[in-house]
Amino acid sequence: DIFGWIGGILTLIYNIPQIVYVYRTKTVKGVSNLSMFMRFISYFFYIVHVWIKKDWSLFYTYCFGLLLFTLLIITEEVVQTMP
């Protein structure tokens, strides 16, 4: 289980700098729509996989990662609508 927790936590970390960057710079330049789509799809498949395998450490970390990813999308939408 420890490897699952470590892997899940490390996967979450890459979302945080992107959220902070978009919030601070108020720009979404350089954020690829294809990358965002692929990230969403990967989270979906990861969550389904770990649900089937009953690997709860990864399930919770990927669900939290999906939450962070959703926060990133919301932040981008808010920044794009700012004058």
Side-chain angles (χ1 to χ4, degrees), residues 6 8 11 14 18 28 34 41 47 55 57-58 66 73 82:
I6 292 170
T11 301
Y14 73 82
Q18 187 72 48
V28 293
L34 178 60
I41 296 299
I47 289 170
D55 187 343
S57 60
L58 285 180
L66 184 58
I73 291 172
M82 295 175 84

Side-chain angles (χ1 to χ4, degrees), residues 19 32-33 64-65:
I19 294 169
S32 164
N33 288 337
F64 187 69

